[in-house]
Amino acid sequence: MISYSNCAQYSLILMIAVSGRFLTEGTGDVGNVYSECGHPLFVHFWNQSFNTESDFKWVKESSTLVARYKNGSRAYGKFKSRVEIFPNGTLRFDITTKDDEGEYRFEAHNKDGKLQFSQDFKLHLLEKLSTPVLDITCDSEQGVTMSCRVQGGTPDTFYLNDQQLTEDNAVFSSDGKKATLKNSNSFFGNKTFFCKVENRISKSQTDPRELTCADSTEGHDYVKTLIIILAVVIGLIILWVWLIIFARRNLDNNCKIRSCE
């Protein structure tokens, strides 16, 4: 039986009945387990045929011994300093390097050496997601470009205002760390935006952000009005200067005529 729960720094994974989020996923006879470096992992299989006389063994890549419990004694392979096996077959595994990724197998034998139960699983090590960044760029009156990006970790899923971004409505960067919305028309009328990212071991999202674009339609109307006002003011100044010059010329001409008389 497989299930798991998160507790402080530990992840308990029981590999048949899955509960919780992100960490386990069954694929045929192989379970996929997701965790991260630096976090201890507890893995346990439960079967009614297990008893105190069962012989439990964990191996990696079919041949490398990880741990074994038999008749009250424990044996460890190259992971000796980083694993511990318990009488019920539970394995505590301190994951420290990317090399710990790979395929593992659990076996339970009875006292006569007959195989009672076995299960394969693949361990995937991921990086927790950093807090995403929501970028908003105004594209004149034609719309707004919005993208969501992360620095740490690679998301499995991007969301913008709870709408999942897929290849149908977004463009993704080659490293999978950024998603750019193709068309913002579907979000017209929204004034607040946030983006959210998730992967198998974590999720994170931005704080809500108000849409305040200087290049938005409202911004363009304001700029147009300001330009018109400036043009009128400059025109009035030019007209005023021209009137002054014209008045002075008339005054000079009048003075000359009087002098001649």
Side-chain angles (χ1 to χ4, degrees):
M1 182 175 185
I2 302 177
S3 63
Y4 87 88
S5 61
N6 287 331
C7 174
Q9 297 180 340
Y10 301 102
S11 299
L12 177 62
I13 300 172
L14 312 167
M15 301 253 335
I16 294 179
V18 179
S19 65
R21 290 177 314 186
F22 302 133
L23 284 182
T24 62
E25 175 186 87
T27 305
D29 293 331
V30 178
N32 290 308
V33 179
Y34 303 88
S35 189
E36 64 176 327
C37 288
H39 281 248
L41 183 69
F42 279 82
V43 190
H44 175 70
F45 296 90
W46 178 83
N47 188 292
Q48 290 183 345
S49 62
F50 295 172
N51 55 58
T52 55
E53 296 180 342
S54 294
D55 175 10
F56 302 112
K57 183 168 66 173
W58 296 84
V59 295
K60 182 181 181 184
E61 310 296 349
S62 302
S63 59
T64 303
L65 178 66
V66 177
R68 185 176 185 179
Y69 184 91
K70 182 179 180 180
N71 297 329
S73 63
R74 296 173 173 83
Y76 299 99
K78 69 174 185 178
F79 300 96
K80 180 178 181 179
S81 61
R82 299 192 289 117
V83 298
E84 181 180 5
I85 191 169
F86 297 90
N88 63 355
T90 298
L91 180 72
R92 181 184 185 274
F93 192 176
D94 291 330
I95 302 171
T96 59
T97 71
K98 191 70 173 176
D99 292 338
D100 291 336
E101 276 191 325
E103 296 182 356
Y104 292 81
R105 182 178 179 84
F106 170 74
E107 295 180 353
H109 299 257
N110 62 20
K111 63 180 181 179
D112 298 322
K114 183 178 179 180
L115 181 65
Q116 296 175 291
F117 175 83
S118 67
Q119 175 67 46
D120 297 311
F121 71 95
K122 188 171 184 178
L123 177 61
H124 306 265
L125 297 183
L126 305 178
E127 182 181 354
K128 274 190 175 180
L129 296 170
S130 62
T131 302
V133 176
L134 176 61
D135 294 316
I136 300 178
T137 304
C138 297
D139 302 324
S140 66
E141 297 178 358
Q142 300 174 351
V144 177
T145 298
M146 287 182 282
S147 64
C148 184
R149 57 186 172 88
V150 294
Q151 295 294 330
T154 302
D156 291 330
T157 313
F158 288 86
Y159 295 90
L160 183 61
N161 284 20
D162 289 324
Q163 176 177 320
Q164 184 175 347
L165 299 183
T166 66
E167 292 184 355
D168 292 332
N169 58 20
V171 177
F172 297 88
S173 61
S174 58
D175 61 4
K177 293 179 179 291
K178 181 179 179 180
T180 302
L181 188 68
K182 288 182 179 178
N183 191 337
S184 61
N185 290 340
S186 60
F187 290 93
F188 278 171
N190 289 49
K191 294 296 184 180
T192 304
F193 296 89
F194 66 91
C195 68
K196 180 171 60 176
V197 291
E198 294 181 352
N199 67 9
R200 299 282 181 169
I201 65 170
S202 63
K203 65 178 182 179
S204 184
Q205 74 175 57
T206 63
D207 292 327
R209 176 177 171 182
E210 295 289 333
L211 178 60
T212 53
C213 285
D215 291 333
S216 64
T217 301
E218 294 178 0
H220 279 286
D221 291 340
Y222 172 77
V223 172
K224 289 179 181 177
T225 302
L226 181 61
I227 291 174
I228 292 173
I229 293 173
L230 288 175
V232 171
V233 171
I234 292 173
L236 291 173
I237 292 173
I238 293 174
L239 179 60
W240 179 66
V241 171
W242 184 83
L243 289 173
I244 292 176
I245 294 174
F246 180 77
R248 285 183 177 179
R249 284 180 179 176
N250 286 338
L251 181 61
D252 291 340
N253 290 334
N254 291 334
C255 289
K256 289 179 180 179
I257 293 172
R258 289 176 182 175
S259 298
C260 292
E261 293 177 351

